[in-house]
Amino acid sequence: MKYVLLFVLPVSIFIVYLWLFRKRHRTVGSLLAPKPLESLFDEIDTTPDQPVPFGYKMSWLAVKSDDAERVLKSLVMENVQPANWHTGCIAAYHYHTFVTPVVDGWVFVLAVDLPTLYTAADSSEFTALLSRLSEEFGEVQYFCTHRVSESHSWARFIEGKEIRAFAYADSETYANRGDKTSGEIELGYQYFDDTSPEAESEAYWEREDLCSPDEEHVMEIAGKWSINPNSFEEREFPAGVGWIGNLVRSH
């Protein structure tokens, strides 16, 4: 019995470690159920309002479209109801989905539990979603950032094809596909590459010409590709109303 325990215990610990490792690279929202709307609001506000800045600790799609309702209908959503920016952003940060009104030719889909690029299952769902939407709308962009886990991602699909995909978390690069876009080149960031043979040397990680991605980089790339959602207050936009609901994920 003693020898059985000596074998079983380490194996059990290893299995739990693998499970936790997989979970840690899913977004926080995918591990939690949406908070009931009645606990967030006395009523859902549908009064048109100005765009509300968002982006930190959030994932979102930027869909190139002048028709927000068409974007809404292209998504598989449950419990859909109108909501303004203020209400919609609060709901999105509590694990619901917010489809925004049009902003300069873009419609944003906010949800902390959008598919990611950190696991095989999520990556497959991610590719299927963005391929389908970009086939319909021409271009779809994906952004995700969460400073706690240091997870930062961006991707661009055009007419059903992945043009660029980058995903980084906890000092590890999970995806780096496609050529850098002109916007990324203009920003000039050169990142550490944990897969490089040079990474075996401590001196590599002390280089001052390299850095790690962070949340500000995600915002800046969004600004180069479409709109930096954290900069809405810098301009005047038409007031509008979007929709909140729950994006149906395939698992």
Side-chain angles (χ1 to χ4, degrees):
M1 184 66 178
K2 175 182 177 181
Y3 296 105
V4 171
L5 288 174
L6 287 174
F7 173 77
V8 171
L9 186 58
V11 171
S12 300
I13 292 173
F14 180 69
I15 291 172
V16 170
Y17 172 81
L18 289 178
W19 181 83
L20 289 173
F21 180 82
R22 182 181 184 276
K23 288 295 186 181
R24 73 185 295 196
H25 292 301
R26 296 175 67 91
T27 57
V28 174
S30 66
L31 306 181
L32 299 173
K35 192 168 184 178
L37 291 174
E38 58 269 21
S39 68
L40 299 174
F41 315 104
D42 292 331
E43 62 179 352
I44 305 300
D45 193 350
T46 59
T47 306
D49 60 355
Q50 293 284 316
V52 173
F54 66 87
Y56 299 124
K57 296 184 179 181
M58 176 58 66
S59 58
W60 72 94
L61 303 177
V63 182
K64 194 171 182 59
S65 177
D66 287 318
D67 189 341
E69 189 168 0
R70 182 182 165 200
V71 173
L72 173 69
K73 290 179 179 178
S74 72
L75 300 167
V76 182
M77 297 265 289
E78 296 177 335
N79 310 314
V80 177
Q81 56 186 306
N84 64 11
W85 279 91
H86 177 74
T87 302
C89 284
I90 291 175
Y93 275 98
H94 287 86
Y95 319 117
H96 296 272
T97 304
F98 178 47
V99 180
T100 76
V102 177
V103 182
D104 270 6
W106 296 91
V107 176
F108 300 97
V109 181
L110 287 64
V112 294
D113 62 347
L114 286 175
T116 72
L117 287 162
Y118 300 120
T119 69
D122 258 13
S123 185
S124 176
E125 184 182 5
F126 165 91
T127 300
L129 175 63
L130 271 73
S131 295
R132 180 176 63 80
L133 290 176
S134 65
E135 282 180 350
E136 181 173 354
F137 295 99
E139 181 172 353
V140 177
Q141 302 165 6
Y142 167 91
F143 304 95
C144 178
T145 180
H146 200 289
R147 70 176 70 105
V148 176
S149 60
E150 286 299 337
S151 302
H152 312 292
S153 309
W154 49 87
R156 190 177 193 178
F157 280 62
I158 296 178
E159 296 181 351
K161 304 296 183 182
E162 180 185 275
I163 305 301
R164 177 73 169 129
F166 181 88
Y168 169 94
D170 291 341
S171 301
E172 185 173 349
T173 302
Y174 284 80
N176 187 9
R177 300 191 294 267
D179 296 332
K180 281 188 176 182
T181 61
S182 59
E184 291 171 273
I185 294 171
E186 287 173 18
L187 290 171
Y189 297 120
Q190 298 294 328
Y191 298 129
F192 290 108
D193 180 2
D194 57 281
T195 65
S196 168
E198 298 177 68
E200 300 294 328
S201 168
E202 291 185 10
Y204 174 77
W205 298 99
E206 296 173 357
R207 287 175 53 175
E208 296 184 357
D209 60 320
L210 301 177
C211 64
S212 297
D214 64 28
E215 60 188 359
E216 297 302 334
H217 296 184
V218 177
M219 301 301 167
E220 291 171 353
I221 292 168
K224 293 291 186 181
W225 288 2
S226 50
I227 301 175
N228 178 348
N230 201 43
S231 67
F232 285 151
E233 292 179 339
E234 297 174 7
R235 295 173 53 191
E236 189 76 17
F237 294 101
V241 175
W243 298 269
I244 53 175
N246 302 106
L247 184 67
V248 177
R249 294 278 306 272
S250 58
H251 295 283

